[in-house]
Every structure is written in C-alpha cells, then in structure tokens.
Amino acid sequence: MKAIRIYEFGEPEVMKIVEVERPAPAADEILVKVYAASVNPADYIIRRGGNEGLKPLLKLPMGLGIDGAGIVEELGSEVTEFKKGDRVYGVPNYLDGSYTEYLAAKSTQFALMPHTINFNQAASLPACARMAWSGMVEKAKVQPGQRVLIHGAAGGIGNLALQFAKAYGAYVIGTASAHNADFLRELGADEVIDYNTQKFEEVVSDMDVVFNATPTTTVDEALRLRSVPVLKEGGIFVCTHGVWPSEEFKGLLARKKATVLMAGVDINHQHCFTEVAKLIDAGKVKAIVSKVYPWERAAEAHRDSETKHVRGKIVLQIRQED
C-alpha cells in the first residue's frame, strides 16, 4: 500500500508518498480503508520536529495525520461493534498517521460516520470535534442560556465549539477577523467581535464560559490574562493547547472563584464521535471544509494550513468516493 512518510524533519517537501507494508489489525483493532484525512496544526508541528512535549516521542521514519474517515476492511477477533463495510471516522493510534491508504487502529477510537455527509466532510471532524466536545460539553458542561465567548471561532476547533454551544442552547459570542463574521453568524453566533479592530474585554462581560480555540500558543498567556475580567464569578476558562497557564493567570481566576480546564483529557472517543454524528444527522452541526487537496499535494495543503487563517478544515483526499 501507499502512505505518506517523513524521513527527516523540515518543510512540507519532506513528506513523501512511498510503498509500505499494509498493517494487520490486532485483536482489539479495525483495519480502515482510508478515503480522506484532514490537516491539523499538530501535523505540521510534528513534521517540523515537534514541540518540547513531542520531541522525545518522535522517531523517524514516521507517518503524519491524526484523523480520517473510511470503510472497515477487517476486524480484530475481539471487535464486536463494527462489521466489514461500515463507514467510520476517528483517530489513528498515537503517531501512526492517517495519511495512508490503510490504517489499523483500536476500534474504540472510531465510530460510525454521520449518514448525511461524505468521507471528505467526515474526515474533517474527529481531531477537532474531540477537543470542542471535550471542552464545551464534557468539561464546561454548557447549559441553555449561558453566555459563551469563543476565541478563534472560525477555525477547526472553534467553529465546532460554537456549534456545540448553540446546539445546547447557549448565547455565543465569537472572535474572528471581519472576513469570517458572516460565516460565524451563519453557524449561529449571536455576536461576532473583530479581533483586529475591537478589544473583546471592552465589549463583553459576565461570561459563563471562555473557550480558547486560537490556532497558536504564542499569544495564549496574554489572551488568558485579558479574558479573566470578562468571566463572571465562578466562570470557566477552557484551554485547547497542551500548555498549562501561568500561576499569575490561575491566581487571577482564583480571586473570581473561576476554573481553568483542559480540553481533550480522558475523552471517550467513540462516545464523542457517536454523539457528534447524531448532531450532524439532526442538522444541528455542520462539517466545515475549506478546501480539499488530493494527497499528492499534501505539501501545498500544509503550507495553506500554516497560514493559521483557515476557515474550518483542510482535507486530503486519499481515494475517490465510489
């Protein structure tokens, strides 16, 4: 089979489509015939050599891609929740990669795809949906009538967090560029703040939840500190990056009896993806795909993603859908 592998860390051109051995599923795994995979910031971070937390775990050569969609080709002997031919979406085993014609992964990391969307749309969801669902639904436990502020609301995680909050009845305010204002309103945003011309802390207050979905960690600490005044007493700040905030930030939150929570920790993937599929099939959530690239153009897709101004997700199409 063919798969994208990197044999050195560096720019997008280090990604090569090569012939590799097709994996065989273990007893608790499924073999997925992959039709599409999405491009996430984690992919280019890993391609460059990783951050401080990832560097010790990365071993060359390696694959890329942290989510995808396809058809169940084989079942491990202990797998009972799927059958051959099922259309599924989910995440590969850690650091195995989804830019590949076939992947073997634990069955608990996949769920049946929504019936109302195609493989490209389904592949755009898992990695971001698990963060948005974990942070907004499981950690913040968003409730009808609550006021929610989402930083980076037009991105892959942010647009899903917005849609989940609206599906659960919240009043949602999103920050984005003016270019994305109408897009966010179409997804249900009650208000949109242009971060280039407005300071959110001057126009919002009494937020029950502040959800940080910005695609970069470089501005996180300043954004966190600016967010504290807009939280109501007892409010919740949700992080979506693996870097915990400073003691200064946590001290400011403590004075408001507010809480900081990390999305994506201890998540039940199969439950998350099953619930997201229900929301999509019910018409309450949309899969937002900004562009689809054939996987032969993965380098171009990565360069597009690295602009950090993608609306929704970029998808790599591995196979044409029948």
Side-chain angles (χ1 to χ4, degrees):
M1 71 169 197
K2 290 182 171 63
I4 287 181
R5 292 286 186 268
I6 60 171
Y7 295 84
E8 60 180 319
F9 298 117
E11 296 304 308
E13 288 71 24
V14 301
M15 295 183 288
K16 308 293 183 185
I17 297 180
V18 297
E19 287 286 342
V20 297
E21 186 176 352
R22 193 172 97 168
D28 60 348
E29 293 182 333
I30 55 175
L31 181 70
V32 178
K33 183 179 181 179
V34 181
Y35 277 72
S38 82
V39 177
N40 292 276
D43 299 335
Y44 59 74
I45 291 171
I46 291 171
R47 191 204 73 227
R48 293 170 178 169
N51 53 29
E52 288 186 11
L54 282 171
K55 279 180 182 176
L57 305 174
L58 304 183
K59 292 180 172 54
L60 295 170
M62 64 179 299
L64 293 174
I66 59 173
D67 56 5
I71 293 175
V72 175
E73 185 78 5
E74 294 180 29
L75 303 168
S77 59
E78 297 174 2
V79 177
T80 59
E81 67 267 43
F82 298 115
K83 64 182 184 300
K84 184 176 179 179
D86 280 343
R87 295 159 65 92
V88 295
Y89 74 142
V91 297
N93 294 339
Y94 189 59
L95 296 178
D96 273 5
S98 59
Y99 299 180
T100 178
E101 290 185 318
Y102 293 89
L103 67 82
K106 291 188 180 299
S107 63
T108 53
Q109 294 167 193
F110 277 76
L112 294 175
M113 273 173 47
H115 303 298
T116 53
I117 60 177
N118 60 34
F119 286 120
N120 289 337
Q121 292 168 311
S124 75
L125 291 165
C128 290
R130 66 180 173 182
M131 298 297 288
W133 179 270
S134 168
M136 191 63 73
V137 179
E138 295 186 350
K139 300 296 175 66
K141 295 181 170 57
V142 64
Q143 301 292 321
Q146 285 190 324
R147 289 169 56 81
V148 175
L149 173 65
I150 300 174
H151 294 305
I157 296 174
N159 89 80
L160 288 171
L162 186 161
Q163 293 185 77
F164 294 160
K166 290 302 298 181
Y168 278 75
Y171 183 94
V172 182
I173 303 169
T175 69
S177 65
H179 168 70
N180 285 314
D182 288 343
F183 165 65
L184 294 184
R185 292 189 184 97
E186 289 170 7
L187 292 182
D190 297 286
E191 297 179 40
V192 180
I193 296 171
D194 178 0
Y195 60 70
N196 290 311
T197 61
Q198 295 174 286
K199 292 184 177 180
F200 67 86
E201 63 268 37
E202 295 178 354
V203 293
V204 301
S205 60
D206 294 320
M207 307 308 298
D208 294 280
V209 179
V210 175
F211 188 105
N212 181 21
T214 54
T216 176
T217 60
T218 56
V219 297
D220 268 9
E221 186 58 20
L223 191 67
R224 289 165 175 160
L225 294 173
R226 291 170 57 203
S227 295
V228 175
V230 310
L231 274 169
K232 68 188 300 185
E233 186 166 331
I236 295 172
F237 185 96
V238 179
C239 296
T240 59
H241 298 303
V243 180
W244 277 101
S246 67
E247 292 303 315
E248 179 186 5
F249 174 74
K250 288 187 281 187
L252 291 173
L253 283 183
R255 290 173 207 159
K256 291 194 116 176
K257 299 179 181 177
T259 306
V260 58
L261 299 172
M262 185 69 74
V265 179
D266 301 324
I267 188 168
N268 181 323
H269 288 92
Q270 197 166 82
H271 171 73
C272 166
F273 300 151
T274 298
E275 293 303 307
V276 171
K278 291 177 184 176
L279 289 175
I280 289 172
D281 286 338
K284 295 181 178 180
V285 172
K286 299 176 183 177
I288 307 300
V289 176
S290 64
K291 195 166 185 179
V292 177
Y293 289 89
W295 72 323
E296 294 85 357
R297 293 167 58 194
E300 187 178 343
H302 269 227
R303 280 191 289 269
D304 197 353
S305 178
E306 288 178 75
T307 66
K308 299 183 177 68
H309 291 292
V310 176
R311 178 184 290 180
K313 292 296 291 294
I314 293 170
V315 170
L316 295 181
Q317 184 169 284
I318 312 297
R319 290 180 168 88
Q320 292 281 349
E321 188 160 357
D322 297 335

